[in-house]
Amino acid sequence: MPLAAAIAPTTWHGTVARAQAPAAADLILHHGKIVTVDPSFRIAEAIAIQGDRIVAVGSPDEVEKAAGPATKRIDLAGKMVLPGLIDSHTHPTGASMIEHQHPIPDMETVQDVLDYIRDRAKETPKGDWVVVRQVFITRLKEQRYPTRAELDAVAPEHPVLFSTGPDASVNSLALKQSGIDKSFQVEGAARIEKDPATGEPTGILRNATRYLKVRETTKKPTRDEERRRLAELFRDYNSVGLTAIIDRNASPSGISLFEELMRDHALTVRVGISHGVDSSGKLEEIQARIKAVADHPLRRGGPMLRIVGIKMFLDGGMLTGSAYMREPWGVSKIYSIDDPHYRGVLFIPPERLLPMVRATVENGLQFTAHSVGDGAVHALLDAYEEVNRSTAVAPTRPCLTHSNFMSRQAIEQAKRLGVVVDIQPAWLYLDTRTLAAQFGDERLRYFQPLRSLFEAGVIVGGGSDHMQKIGSFRSINPYNPFLGMWVAITRRAKGYEGRLHREQALSREQAIRFYTLNNAHLLFLEDRIGSLEPGKLADLVVLDRDLLTCPEDDIPRTKVLATYLNGQPIFTAAPSPTPTP
């Protein structure tokens, strides 16, 4: 049966790899390019599936031995097959609901932002808040925050919050309603920027949005709307080949949504959960929260839904000017930094971080923290090092999340301790233009050092940090895995000439591992998924082109023809229209 007709829901030499199957195969895909991603990265021509398992991989003649009278066969006509792709970092429950009331346009300039705020102000009662989230200044043409005066001009009768993760720009009414003036003092790892001449707040807040008295009046979605939107997002994940993800800051409400979808047989991606844990408050209360996560029933969940660990936030962001660096950021118009000694913001001091990491490891959970700057990366590695003196950390696969700014020493330390790394190439693609302007080329030598990590033997997985919107290219950040592979292979970025330290580029084989077997390891599922080997679960994708040989710039254009989860088709591309004379 030809591929186009059969998928309506490959060179191997030598002995076939085959598991002991109790029954004949239900499905055989043959005459394709089956990229196994096994330890030898072998290429086969056929694969047999029985139930939810792979039972044979090899040549068409050898795999045919697994067939029976009812076996369905699909001729791949030379198409490439990969293991199901995995995203090591998403925020699906929040991302799916961003546009549930109205579409949010792309914003590429400060004027786009101001136009959107002006339009929302017209639709919002006077005195109510207008809120814009996750539009990053690194990606705006002007590479700066909208100013307090600009926000005042477009929404003088509305408090306005332009939020970019932990940092924000606000207007005068937002400051006034929140009681933030020249004498206002913050506590802990926070900062309110002030005009050096007048002492008045400029409107730039760093990790201080908790002081804003935001009262959003948007209509709260129903539970059914939340389930429907999340299922829609997961179907879109499937359409780009994703069969598994890690939610890197799951809430109890979000976890219950996953459980409801699984109960209703509507969960179409495997979900590993990093349960969010607040790092503020008394240490004994935080340790109790960590213990509660370890005792959650989903800690013993199966390969479709399982808690793998916890997530905290250690520093700010490179997109906002608050990542914690080992060296000062430098005075910057881009990030509104006027202190030459400013190094960013470390949210958790080392003396508090250590007992949190220790409690997590002792409870058998993976610890990870948002750690963007090299100062934060080294702080977390040092905490792992200290805990490791009394309790081995490697079995819990301690993680560095984001880990954009690294060093040779950090890579060596991560390898020695068994630390895994969760990196998002989309950040390199979208933010290099601004980062290069801020830091210069030399300071970016160890920015997302993928090749060095691979060569050192550190297991590093590729993710997106998908935050908002449904759509693999229109989302913030884009979750199209083929775009991620292309960035990792080329080190090319939007609006940036050349390639950012091309010595850190991955090979095509490494880029495929980056989104398959390596991420399976981060999910603690490398014995079940991530490669196409007999005995493993039958998660796989059929592609329209050969990622190992196609022109480099064709990689992001890759289309998924079919996606299988547990041996069942969960996505099938619509057939191309027949040309007319």
Side-chain angles (χ1 to χ4, degrees):
M1 182 180 297
L3 177 64
I7 308 181
T10 348
T11 305
W12 175 285
H13 300 284
T15 305
V16 69
R18 183 170 179 178
Q20 295 298 317
D26 299 310
L27 174 66
I28 289 177
L29 307 178
H30 59 93
H31 295 108
K33 186 170 184 178
I34 316 293
V35 181
T36 65
V37 196
D38 69 2
S40 300
F41 206 79
R42 293 180 291 181
I43 308 296
E45 292 180 87
I47 184 169
I49 297 167
Q50 195 276 318
D52 63 355
R53 303 279 171 167
I54 298 167
V55 294
V57 182
S59 70
D61 289 344
E62 291 288 348
V63 169
E64 185 63 26
K65 296 175 183 177
T71 300
K72 179 180 178 180
R73 295 167 180 82
I74 296 176
D75 189 336
L76 293 170
K79 295 293 188 294
M80 172 176 273
V81 175
L82 292 182
L85 302 177
I86 304 169
D87 190 314
S88 65
H89 191 131
T90 71
H91 301 284
T93 55
S96 63
M97 295 308 299
I98 291 300
E99 295 183 305
H100 81 281
Q101 286 198 303
H102 61 268
I104 299 175
D106 293 339
M107 295 180 231
E108 297 187 350
T109 68
V110 170
Q111 191 60 52
D112 290 342
V113 173
L114 298 175
D115 289 344
Y116 175 74
I117 292 171
R118 180 186 291 109
D119 290 343
R120 294 311 306 158
K122 291 176 182 177
E123 302 293 327
T124 304
K126 292 179 182 180
D128 286 352
W129 284 74
V130 174
V131 178
V132 182
R133 298 190 185 278
Q134 309 302 66
V135 177
F136 299 109
I137 59 173
T138 50
R139 301 171 188 178
L140 296 176
K141 180 181 178 181
E142 298 87 351
Q143 299 170 300
R144 65 170 177 84
Y145 284 99
T147 67
R148 173 179 170 178
E150 288 172 329
L151 298 176
D152 287 346
V154 295
E157 297 178 300
H158 296 77
V160 177
L161 168 62
F162 173 86
S163 175
T164 62
D167 305 326
S169 177
V170 299
N171 71 347
S172 297
L173 193 52
L175 292 170
K176 181 179 179 180
Q177 288 194 4
S178 303
I180 299 174
D181 56 19
K182 64 192 303 181
S183 62
F184 189 86
Q185 298 295 317
V186 299
E187 296 180 356
R191 180 185 177 104
I192 293 177
E193 299 289 353
K194 296 181 180 179
D195 187 304
T198 66
E200 292 290 337
T202 65
I204 305 298
L205 282 62
R206 304 197 191 281
N207 194 38
T209 53
R210 64 184 180 274
Y211 295 112
L212 295 173
K213 297 177 181 178
V214 180
R215 184 170 52 85
E216 294 193 57
T217 56
T218 55
K219 180 183 176 183
K220 184 176 175 61
T222 66
R223 192 67 169 179
D224 184 64
E225 286 174 324
E226 290 179 324
R227 282 194 298 268
R228 179 179 56 80
R229 293 280 295 183
L230 184 59
E232 181 183 347
L233 171 61
F234 284 165
R235 289 193 296 272
D236 202 70
Y237 281 176
N238 301 150
S239 75
V240 292
L242 292 171
T243 56
I245 61 168
I246 302 178
D247 183 332
R248 284 293 190 195
N249 192 36
S251 66
S253 175
I255 292 169
S256 66
L257 276 173
F258 300 145
E259 292 179 302
E260 290 170 23
L261 288 182
M262 188 165 70
R263 178 201 64 200
D264 296 340
H265 306 288
L267 186 63
T268 61
V269 294
R270 305 185 190 279
V271 181
I273 296 167
S274 282
H275 196 304
V277 173
D278 188 354
S279 63
S280 62
K282 296 179 180 179
L283 272 173
E284 55 268 28
E285 294 174 353
I286 297 168
Q287 291 164 333
R289 291 197 290 269
I290 293 169
K291 179 65 165 58
V293 174
D295 291 339
H296 193 289
L298 281 179
R299 183 72 187 98
R300 299 173 295 281
M304 279 302 296
L305 184 62
R306 181 171 178 260
I307 290 173
V308 298
I310 70 162
K311 162 78 176 295
M312 292 185 179
F313 289 81
L314 186 52
D315 72 340
M318 70 179 199
L319 310 182
T320 60
S322 58
Y324 187 65
M325 309 295 287
R326 292 196 294 171
E327 300 293 332
W329 273 76
V331 173
S332 172
K333 290 184 179 180
I334 295 173
Y335 293 99
S336 300
I337 298 170
D338 55 23
D339 179 358
H341 304 293
Y342 171 77
R343 292 172 54 200
V345 184
L346 188 68
F347 298 162
I348 310 173
E351 65 272 15
R352 283 176 59 86
L353 178 63
L354 182 60
M356 296 176 194
V357 173
R358 179 173 284 116
T360 305
V361 171
E362 289 177 350
N363 278 284
L365 294 166
Q366 179 190 72
F367 185 95
T368 197
H370 169 114
S371 309
V372 172
D374 52 5
V377 168
H378 277 263
L380 184 50
L381 285 170
D382 288 347
Y384 289 146
E385 186 88 62
E386 183 60 30
V387 171
N388 195 61
R389 298 182 195 281
S390 57
T391 306
V393 299
T396 66
R397 300 182 186 179
C399 185
L400 295 168
T401 284
H402 302 315
S403 195
N404 287 297
F405 294 88
M406 296 193 76
S407 67
R408 180 178 55 80
Q409 297 91 338
I411 294 170
E412 293 170 351
Q413 191 175 13
K415 170 58 179 174
R416 186 175 73 252
L417 293 170
V419 171
V420 299
V421 184
D422 160 29
I423 284 182
Q424 298 76 48
W427 287 22
L428 189 157
Y429 175 62
L430 292 172
D431 305 306
T432 290
R433 177 180 69 107
T434 301
L435 295 173
Q438 174 67 29
F439 294 114
D441 185 71
E442 182 57 31
R443 199 163 170 188
L444 296 178
R445 180 169 296 280
Y446 279 92
F447 182 83
Q448 294 196 1
L450 295 176
R451 173 76 73 162
S452 293
L453 286 162
F454 267 78
E455 290 180 348
V458 177
I459 296 178
V460 52
S464 64
D465 198 11
H466 173 216
M467 300 177 187
Q468 292 191 15
K469 302 183 180 180
I470 298 175
S472 70
F473 284 111
R474 68 182 294 269
S475 55
I476 304 172
N477 298 295
Y479 54 82
N480 187 289
F482 307 107
L483 174 65
M485 290 183 195
W486 175 81
V487 174
I489 291 165
T490 66
R491 305 282 293 190
R492 284 163 59 187
K494 185 178 180 180
Y496 177 78
E497 293 296 326
R499 302 175 187 239
L500 180 67
H501 287 285
R502 63 188 307 160
E503 73 276 6
Q504 293 294 352
L506 296 183
S507 69
R508 298 193 190 204
E509 175 182 325
Q510 288 171 326
I512 290 171
R513 289 190 185 277
F514 191 41
Y515 281 93
T516 55
L517 192 57
N518 282 19
N519 272 339
H521 185 90
L522 270 62
L523 272 166
F524 295 79
L525 287 176
E526 73 277 11
D527 60 334
R528 301 195 190 193
I529 62 173
S531 62
L532 300 177
E533 300 179 81
K536 285 195 167 185
L537 294 168
D539 296 358
L540 53 92
V541 293
V542 183
L543 307 181
D544 72 340
R545 70 199 65 204
D546 186 341
L547 296 183
L548 295 173
T549 62
C550 71
E552 194 173 74
D553 288 343
D554 280 359
I555 294 173
R557 302 185 183 97
T558 300
K559 302 296 183 185
V560 172
L561 302 177
T563 303
Y564 289 80
L565 178 73
N566 284 322
Q568 299 299 314
I570 54 171
F571 168 77
T572 304
S576 300
T578 302
T580 56

